[in-house]
Amino acid sequence: MKIYHFLSLTLALCLSAFIARAQGGQQQTPEEREKQMLEFVDKEVRRLSNMLQLEYWQEFYVDSTLTHDIRALNEELEKLQTAKVENADLYVNVQDKWMQQMDDTYKRIFTPEQWAKYWKNGGKRAQEARDKRNKKRK
């Protein structure tokens, strides 16, 4: 269930700028977005560390992965926004691509036992949802 929290929060972070622009509302400054993203990464690293009993080096790699991949996700979403893309499926496709990238990296970082626990606690459901959307696209 926690993975759905992660995915929901990630989607909210990524699409908040798009919604603000679409509605002509107050936009966050780049510094505010960066601060919000780093706070989210910190909370997610702590959550995964507590759930999976991560070693220090694993926390470092999870932090690095999340920081890089969420920034890259945001950059791709901003490109779509700048191009004024209105097709919501394209935004979901970008999110799915980066969520898959994170899971692939986690699988290399986590021990088999940690991966099994991560998979059991929502990773599998998230993967199945991505697979279902991917199958629908084809």
Side-chain angles (χ1 to χ4, degrees):
M1 193 55 130
K2 295 284 187 179
I3 193 73
Y4 287 114
H5 174 69
F6 169 71
L7 294 175
S8 299
L9 191 53
T10 301
L11 183 59
L13 281 170
C14 297
L15 296 180
S16 64
F18 173 73
I19 293 167
R21 285 184 189 161
Q23 295 176 343
Q26 180 80 19
Q27 294 183 28
Q28 288 183 320
T29 66
E31 293 81 17
E32 290 170 334
R33 283 194 306 264
E34 180 74 7
K35 181 181 176 189
Q36 186 179 20
M37 189 266 307
L38 292 174
E39 287 172 357
F40 168 75
V41 167
D42 186 53
K43 287 179 185 177
E44 185 62 11
V45 169
R46 280 187 273 131
R47 184 188 75 78
L48 289 171
S49 184
N50 290 335
M51 179 176 73
L52 304 174
Q53 307 304 307
L54 297 179
E55 299 287 333
Y56 178 76
W57 66 270
Q58 291 173 307
E59 288 181 11
F60 172 80
Y61 282 116
V62 168
D63 185 277
S64 298
T65 296
L66 285 171
T67 302
H68 172 270
D69 290 357
I70 290 174
R71 276 191 185 126
L73 169 63
N74 284 330
E75 287 173 13
E76 278 196 55
L77 292 174
E78 286 177 15
K79 286 179 185 175
L80 291 175
Q81 293 167 9
T82 302
K84 299 189 188 292
V85 173
E86 294 182 10
N87 184 344
D89 290 339
L90 293 176
Y91 291 90
V92 173
N93 292 349
V94 169
Q95 180 186 1
D96 283 350
K97 177 181 96 172
W98 285 103
M99 293 299 116
Q100 184 64 53
Q101 174 71 27
M102 287 180 220
D103 273 356
D104 292 345
T105 303
Y106 287 166
K107 192 169 187 174
R108 290 190 305 269
I109 295 170
F110 298 160
T111 65
E113 296 79 17
Q114 290 168 328
W115 177 254
K117 188 170 184 177
Y118 172 80
W119 197 243
K120 182 181 175 186
N121 283 292
K124 182 178 180 182
R125 285 187 301 269
Q127 180 65 53
E128 289 169 347
R130 285 193 302 269
D131 290 345
K132 185 177 177 180
R133 286 189 296 270
N134 192 30
K135 188 175 180 181
K136 190 185 279 188
R137 284 190 284 269
K138 293 180 180 183

